[in-house]
Amino acid sequence: MSATADRDPKDIVYVNGSFLPRAQARVSVEDRGFVFGDGVYEVLRAINGKLFAARFHNQRLERSLDGVRIALEGDHSPARFVEIGRQLLKENNLLKGQATLYMQVTRGATIRAHNFPPPDVAPTVYISVARFTPYTDLAESGASAITQPDLRWARCDLKTLNLLPNVLASQTAKERGAFEAMLIRDGVVTEGTKTNFFGVVNGSLRTHPCDSHILPGITRSVLRDLARDLKIELDETPIKVSEIPKLSELFLTGTTTDVMPIVKLDDKPVGKGRPGELTRKLQRVLAESLASGGD
Amino acid sequence: MSATADRDPKDIVYVNGSFLPRAQARVSVEDRGFVFGDGVYEVLRAINGKLFAARFHNQRLERSLDGVRIALEGDHSPARFVEIGRQLLKENNLLKGQATLYMQVTRGATIRAHNFPPPDVAPTVYISVARFTPYTDLAESGASAITQPDLRWARCDLKTLNLLPNVLASQTAKERGAFEAMLIRDGVVTEGTKTNFFGVVNGSLRTHPCDSHILPGITRSVLRDLARDLKIELDETPIKVSEIPKLSELFLTGTTTDVMPIVKLDDKPVGKGRPGELTRKLQRVLAESLASGGD
């Protein structure tokens, strides 16, 4: 895999009001992120200092915060996080080229107890940036994927830190030489461990509908709009496991994945075993959208 | 609620080889516990310096570590954690009276990526103790509970840090004035957010079987053995939601909960609305077992 998140030597991050070197950025062992995974996050893409689809990421962060009932305090808001992100891009010399912006909010640090902390405990905010190199070669050749059972909870629509099932399935994929694990719940493909997916079955573009079993991906949504502009109809009827052999094209989407063709699934070729025509078309229009800065 | 986890003024905890004041105990913002909830934990009960059922907690910690594929390093092992726990009880003047011992292992701190870290990244170990006051009054009067949908993942048998669904249901219970939320999955009661449960239906003692939908509770297992000694048969057929109105007795079990009678569920009395005979009997034998130090 060609994508890497290299560290800039300066490597300044933001934690709770302070800008400081990553090596000094620490949180309490009592932080609810650390003991309960009690928080939410977003990952944004920066191209030459411009954040792609920031408005949509902000909306989704608000939605995740609401979903887990974390209320931000002081001047903290998703819009402020994006400002901090811009400052971090500048401080870390990432205004040229590509980078990712990571922002995370937890329910704060307090004596461990499942119930929410007392009102005087402020959420913990952690924001960082990293150099990003897109998966250019793999996007050209196409990647492989495996299927894995979807063991996740019933609110996958919230972008939370409870990512252990994603971690385990992703690692299994890596060990089998695959780029991603596509998750199967109740006989249908839901999404990948960190991507959504689109597939072509009998000439029709399909993906899982936005319900509580998938993350409402920003790139998924951008792609849906781009497809609509191209008069390509999207059918949000989930792809059944039994339909997998009928897939003529398959691709993943995500903030750092863009449109990634999947040419092999569970060691069997998808369609002709190379990126399909529709995949290439959507790859192109997404690249144009990214280059123009999106919204 | 009467149970509290008070802090000793000295308050020394253990993090990765160091004993230090809790206020100074910090982990990297890149710790996988903090960004992925990627870790496991145990809570043990100490009575006058003696840890109850330590052997079973150690076995379960090993099982959780195996389940999420975290390998301990150096001299770290569950047995060593218990030694460290004993040292912390001593350092924090908790050798007399009651205390809890918390031990947590995460997959370590590294550049954020779903896949497991490189082999040179050691797991993070955090161990702490706290004064504990049992829920004596509530155990006498009985407590109330509510039911909530079980939104958790498919491996609830592993004691992991992915606790957000537990946090949310527990908070809902608190806001409704209840001690615990009992979780409902596929029409049956699985367990509480931090407890197992036993119920009496038509004179028969029932609980959910140990499968991937419940945590194999240590107190649950101790209780099962104590019941067997008393020639009380335990039927591990899950209690259906439709059977809830037939419950004549109901109680929760857990390391800090002991046997907690539930006399009201979703605002309706359970049985006669007071702790039942079997509940009292099992409460007594568990108290005796705790007093004698268990295994």
Side-chain angles (χ1 to χ4, degrees), chain A residues 7 69 111 115-116 170 175, chain B residues 7 69 111 115 170 175:
Chain A
R7 284 150 192 255
R69 306 177 55 196
I111 299 179
N115 297 335
F116 292 178
S170 178
E175 289 168 3
Chain B
R7 285 150 190 253
R69 305 177 55 196
I111 298 178
N115 297 334
S170 178
E175 288 168 4

Side-chain angles (χ1 to χ4, degrees), chain B residues 173-187:
Chain B
K174 185 189 170 190
E175 288 168 4
R176 299 203 190 152
F179 178 78
E180 175 64 297
M182 307 197 56
L183 305 174
I184 311 290
R185 189 195 292 250
D186 300 333

Side-chain angles (χ1 to χ4, degrees), chain B residues 252-275:
Chain B
L252 309 173
T253 63
T255 293
T256 58
T257 315
D258 297 336
V259 167
M260 175 61 71
I262 295 298
V263 295
K264 208 192 270 180
L265 184 59
D266 288 334
D267 292 318
K268 293 185 197 79
V270 174
K272 293 180 181 153
R274 55 177 191 263

Side-chain angles (χ1 to χ4, degrees), chain A residues 65-112:
Chain A
L65 287 164
D66 283 354
V68 304
R69 306 177 55 196
I70 292 178
L72 294 172
E73 291 193 7
D75 74 338
H76 276 157
S77 69
R80 171 78 186 121
F81 298 159
V82 167
E83 275 176 42
I84 293 167
R86 291 205 173 97
Q87 192 171 336
L88 286 174
L89 289 171
K90 199 174 152 193
E91 300 240 7
N92 291 292
N93 297 318
L94 292 170
L95 289 177
K96 283 194 180 153
Q98 300 221 18
T100 52
L101 164 60
Y102 179 81
M103 27 201 227
Q104 170 176 325
V105 183
T106 77
R107 209 181 305 273
T110 183
I111 299 179
R112 184 184 181 279

Side-chain angles (χ1 to χ4, degrees), chain B residues 79-155:
Chain B
R80 171 76 186 121
F81 298 158
V82 167
E83 275 176 41
I84 293 166
R86 291 205 174 96
Q87 192 171 336
L88 287 174
L89 289 172
K90 200 173 151 190
E91 300 240 8
N92 290 293
N93 297 319
L94 291 170
L95 290 176
K96 281 191 183 157
Q98 300 222 18
T100 53
L101 163 60
Y102 178 82
M103 29 202 227
Q104 169 176 326
V105 183
T106 77
R107 211 181 303 274
T110 183
I111 298 178
R112 186 185 181 279
H114 285 67
N115 297 334
F116 292 178
D120 62 326
V121 174
T124 299
V125 176
Y126 161 50
I127 304 176
S128 78
V129 292
R131 172 68 61 198
F132 176 70
T133 310
Y135 302 93
T136 315
D137 294 348
L138 215 49
E140 187 52 35
S141 63
S144 66
I146 60 169
T147 55
Q148 283 284 284
D150 191 342
L151 304 180
R152 299 172 305 159
W153 72 324
R155 292 301 307 276

Side-chain angles (χ1 to χ4, degrees), chain A:
Chain A
M1 283 168 214
S2 62
T4 49
D6 296 327
R7 284 150 192 255
D8 188 273
K10 279 180 71 185
D11 213 4
I12 302 297
V13 307
Y14 174 92
V15 183
N16 288 340
S18 301
F19 290 82
L20 72 177
R22 188 186 297 267
Q24 293 166 29
R26 299 170 81 76
V27 291
S28 166
V29 288
E30 292 188 308
D31 193 282
R32 292 178 64 104
F34 186 64
V35 295
F36 291 128
D38 190 6
V40 298
Y41 74 105
E42 281 292 327
V43 181
L44 284 79
R45 179 87 163 270
I47 301 178
N48 294 323
K50 182 150 193 197
L51 291 163
F52 185 73
R55 183 165 53 99
F56 298 115
H57 285 282
N58 281 358
Q59 284 167 1
R60 190 170 63 183
L61 183 56
E62 295 270 20
R63 189 178 175 281
S64 295
L65 287 164
D66 283 354
V68 304
R69 306 177 55 196
I70 292 178
L72 294 172
E73 291 193 7
D75 74 338
H76 276 157
S77 69
R80 171 78 186 121
F81 298 159
V82 167
E83 275 176 42
I84 293 167
R86 291 205 173 97
Q87 192 171 336
L88 286 174
L89 289 171
K90 199 174 152 193
E91 300 240 7
N92 291 292
N93 297 318
L94 292 170
L95 289 177
K96 283 194 180 153
Q98 300 221 18
T100 52
L101 164 60
Y102 179 81
M103 27 201 227
Q104 170 176 325
V105 183
T106 77
R107 209 181 305 273
T110 183
I111 299 179
R112 184 184 181 279
H114 285 66
N115 297 335
F116 292 178
D120 61 325
V121 175
T124 298
V125 175
Y126 161 51
I127 303 176
S128 78
V129 292
R131 172 68 63 201
F132 176 71
T133 310
Y135 303 93
T136 315
D137 294 349
L138 214 49
E140 187 51 36
S141 64
S144 66
I146 60 169
T147 55
Q148 284 283 284
D150 192 341
L151 304 180
R152 298 173 305 160
W153 72 324
R155 291 303 306 274
C156 298
D157 56 317
L158 302 174
K159 201 163 172 74
T160 81
L161 304 177
N162 272 214
L163 289 170
L164 195 36
N166 307 59
V167 161
L168 294 173
S170 178
Q171 175 66 16
T172 300
K174 185 188 171 191
E175 289 168 3
R176 299 201 190 153
F179 178 79
E180 175 65 297
M182 305 196 58
L183 305 174
I184 312 289
R185 189 194 292 251
D186 300 332
V188 307
V189 188
T190 52
E191 60 182 341
T193 68
K194 43 194 176 289
T195 56
N196 297 119
F197 81 98
F198 292 71
V200 179
V201 179
N202 296 331
S204 137
L205 186 65
R206 303 256 297 272
T207 193
H208 196 285
C210 272
D211 61 17
S212 64
H213 289 158
I214 73 159
L215 186 80
I218 307 297
T219 309
R220 176 191 182 282
S221 153
V222 168
L223 244 282
R224 190 194 49 203
D225 294 349
L226 291 171
R228 189 183 296 147
D229 295 347
L230 293 169
K231 314 279 181 222
I232 300 165
E233 211 176 309
L234 175 63
D235 177 2
E236 292 180 289
T237 305
I239 293 180
K240 291 181 196 152
V241 171
S242 59
E243 290 180 299
I244 288 177
K246 298 181 197 162
L247 282 167
S248 60
E249 299 190 34
L250 180 62
F251 60 90
L252 309 174
T253 63
T255 293
T256 58
T257 314
D258 297 336
V259 168
M260 174 62 71
I262 295 298
V263 294
K264 209 193 271 181
L265 184 59
D266 288 334
D267 292 319
K268 293 184 198 80
V270 174
K272 294 179 179 153
R274 56 177 191 262
E277 206 178 311
L278 194 53
T279 307
R280 286 294 189 221
K281 191 181 281 184
L282 292 167
Q283 216 170 23
R284 268 196 308 274
V285 292
L286 180 67
E288 284 161 16
S289 184
L290 280 163
S292 75
D295 68 324

Side-chain angles (χ1 to χ4, degrees), chain B residues 142-143 197-206 232 239-251 260-265 268-280:
Chain B
F197 82 97
F198 293 70
V200 179
V201 180
N202 296 331
S204 136
L205 186 64
R206 304 256 297 272
I232 299 165
I239 293 180
K240 290 180 197 154
V241 171
S242 59
E243 289 180 300
I244 287 176
K246 297 181 198 162
L247 282 166
S248 59
E249 300 190 33
L250 179 62
F251 59 90
M260 175 61 71
I262 295 298
V263 295
K264 208 192 270 180
L265 184 59
K268 293 185 197 79
V270 174
K272 293 180 181 153
R274 55 177 191 263
E277 207 178 309
L278 193 54
T279 306
R280 285 293 188 219

